[in-house]
Amino acid sequence: MGLPLSPDSIHLDATTRGVPLVEGIAAEAVGARKWSPASGDLGLPALTVDEAAFVHNRDLFLRYCASVNALVAPHAKTPMSPELSASLRQAGAWGASVAGIQQAAVLLASGERRLILANEIGGLAAGRRLGALLATYPDAEIHVFADSPAAVAAYAEAARVGKCTALSVLVEVGAGRAGARDAGAVDAVIAAVLAADGLVLGGVATYEGAAAVADPDATTRAIAALMTCTADAFARVRMAAPGRHLIVTAGGSLHFDRVVAALGPLVERDGNAVLILRSGAIFFSDHGIYAKGFAAMDARGGFVVDGAPVSAHKGFRPALTLWAEVLSRPQPDLAICGFGMRDVSFDQGLPVVLRVYRDGIEQAGLADGLAVARLNDQHAFLTVPAASRLAVGDILAFGISHPCTCFDRWRVVFGLGGDGTVTRALTTHFG
């Protein structure tokens, strides 16, 4: 049983942004067209993934994980692309992480069978929905987060509906977002799991990114405190489940080095546990929040591969590019481009101009001095040097900030090869 998620089951036409053909095309035939976004072959705006950068980032991070004895379940919420999730697993990822029942359904339907549901799901109605999914995919290995007895009750209902005898519950410890805040709350979750039918204690979970604040020093202290609480929760779970193989999971894309430093030794000392990171955006990087975060990681010497320091800022390559056309140059210091808030992330910074093309040829130096000043629904307002040669019809390549809130604006993202032409159409499934 499954959903029609494979590319050969999807027909694309001009009702999908980026697709230039009114009559349409089968998704698997897109690569043969050799469309060039720089030449205007796509329906602009369009979003592309640099295939080589994605593979480079994937291989670099998997090599890092192997060198620190950690596994990774990449967070699928970033691209929600079954193809990309499958490629990460095939390259060596342990499984995948999801943020909700719908995302779990997408990945299970596409063939994934090992998931971390990295969020509480809600109450009993949500438990019944999860139970229906468990019943549909009885061969799936799913680990869920709980930070209260009420959350445990929802999972017990899921286990009942799904006829599951050993649904793995990870006790979530938190700061700034969900998660048990103290030892009493942790003990309450443990007791609820032990008392429930169909559930087992699977380990502990946290997310250090939710503890981060604007001040770097305060962030360091907050994450360190969270790691201490997580280690204490692990000790309590271990006491309640002395012989079970346990999971310890944390790690986004900006502070995973701190997670490894704090929890790696704990897992090693235990001898019957595994550390699983959930980084997702790291495989795409960006020109904004992650570029800055990797520079901060370099400053603290956090990214160490095979025992040697490596520059995260230089190592991880931005993979996403937004392509758009100049629609108007109404005054000397202003240009209007054909994209807006519906097309690109802006919650962690505005896009940056990377390159300018005219008739498919890059215009050297023409991107200098161009900057996105603001966005509305369909338009980007660029400040332009008054003497700039930028013209209506020029095509601009933009770097983005925050891949997670850029992907979700697109039903189709195009893979881009080293020759600048489209390799494939990647469908996304955000619901």
Side-chain angles (χ1 to χ4, degrees):
M1 180 176 293
L3 300 176
L5 300 183
S6 60
D8 59 1
S9 66
I10 298 171
H11 186 78
L12 304 175
D13 59 29
T15 62
T16 296
R17 277 175 302 163
V19 178
L21 303 177
V22 175
E23 68 275 17
I25 185 173
E28 75 271 18
V30 165
R33 292 297 185 103
K34 293 292 183 181
W35 286 329
S36 166
S39 298
D41 294 340
L42 296 177
L44 301 181
L47 186 68
T48 62
V49 177
D50 183 323
E51 300 269 20
F54 172 76
V55 169
H56 170 84
N57 295 341
R58 179 197 71 193
D59 293 348
L60 176 59
F61 194 65
L62 288 174
R63 186 158 60 91
Y64 165 79
C65 290
S67 74
V68 297
N69 296 315
L71 301 175
V72 61
H75 214 315
K77 73 177 178 61
T78 299
M80 277 310 295
S81 164
E83 287 181 79
L84 294 178
S85 290
S87 73
L88 290 167
R89 173 178 48 77
Q90 291 159 6
W94 172 88
S97 297
V98 293
I101 296 171
Q102 180 267 341
Q103 293 181 7
V106 168
L107 290 200
L108 289 170
S110 73
E112 298 300 317
R113 288 297 179 269
R114 186 185 268 170
L115 301 179
I116 295 176
L117 208 170
N119 203 3
E120 276 71 24
I121 61 169
L124 296 180
R128 288 188 283 275
R129 291 195 298 274
L130 178 59
L133 203 59
L134 296 174
T136 303
Y137 301 99
D139 59 333
E141 176 187 339
I142 298 179
H143 305 265
V144 298
F145 282 19
D147 66 355
S148 68
V152 174
Y155 295 127
E157 180 70 357
R160 182 190 69 80
V161 172
K163 296 181 172 56
C164 182
T165 60
L167 178 60
S168 170
V169 178
L170 309 179
V171 180
E172 184 183 11
V173 180
R177 202 169 71 179
R181 295 298 200 260
D182 54 41
V186 169
D187 288 342
V189 174
I190 292 172
V193 172
L194 294 177
D197 292 332
L199 306 182
V200 296
L201 282 170
V204 297
T206 193
Y207 174 52
E208 74 291 344
V213 294
D215 179 74
D217 292 335
T219 293
T220 299
R221 293 191 296 271
I223 292 176
L226 180 60
M227 294 298 101
T228 298
C229 291
T230 303
D232 178 72
F234 178 81
R236 293 170 183 274
V237 171
R238 173 51 78 204
M239 187 176 300
R244 183 172 294 280
H245 182 70
L246 298 179
I247 286 174
V248 179
T249 180
S253 295
L254 291 179
H255 304 282
F256 60 84
D257 59 317
R258 289 169 159 155
V259 167
V260 168
L263 301 182
L266 175 149
V267 167
E268 184 177 359
R269 287 193 301 271
D270 180 81
N272 193 22
V274 64
L275 176 61
I276 303 179
L277 304 179
R278 303 194 306 277
S279 313
I282 198 165
F283 299 102
F284 306 96
S285 189
D286 68 8
H287 286 88
I289 179 176
Y290 288 99
K292 294 175 183 175
F294 293 148
M297 188 177 295
D298 287 349
R300 62 178 180 263
F303 192 51
V304 178
V305 181
D306 296 325
V310 175
S311 171
H313 183 261
K314 294 178 181 178
F316 292 105
R317 302 174 184 171
L320 294 184
T321 302
L322 182 76
W323 302 82
E325 194 169 10
V326 177
L327 306 182
S328 175
R329 184 91 189 268
Q331 58 196 55
D333 61 349
L334 175 66
I336 309 296
C337 275
F339 74 95
M341 292 185 288
R342 293 176 175 175
D343 307 300
V344 73
S345 50
F346 55 90
D347 58 312
Q348 300 284 355
L350 293 172
V352 296
V353 181
L354 302 176
R355 298 174 298 277
V356 178
Y357 296 87
R358 184 174 297 161
D359 300 324
I361 300 171
E362 184 176 355
Q363 304 298 295
L366 195 49
D368 296 346
L370 304 181
V372 178
R374 63 186 179 95
L375 303 172
N376 63 19
D377 287 357
Q378 303 283 169
H379 298 93
F381 297 77
L382 271 65
T383 56
V384 181
S388 174
R389 298 180 294 105
L390 189 71
V392 170
D394 286 346
I395 293 174
L396 277 62
F398 294 86
I400 64 97
S401 180
H402 201 188
C404 302
T405 53
C406 192
F407 267 111
D408 66 356
R409 287 162 164 78
W410 294 88
R411 288 168 52 198
V412 171
V413 178
F414 297 95
L416 201 65
D419 63 353
T421 65
V422 169
T423 59
R424 57 177 169 164
L426 294 160
T427 56
T428 67
H429 300 266
F430 289 95

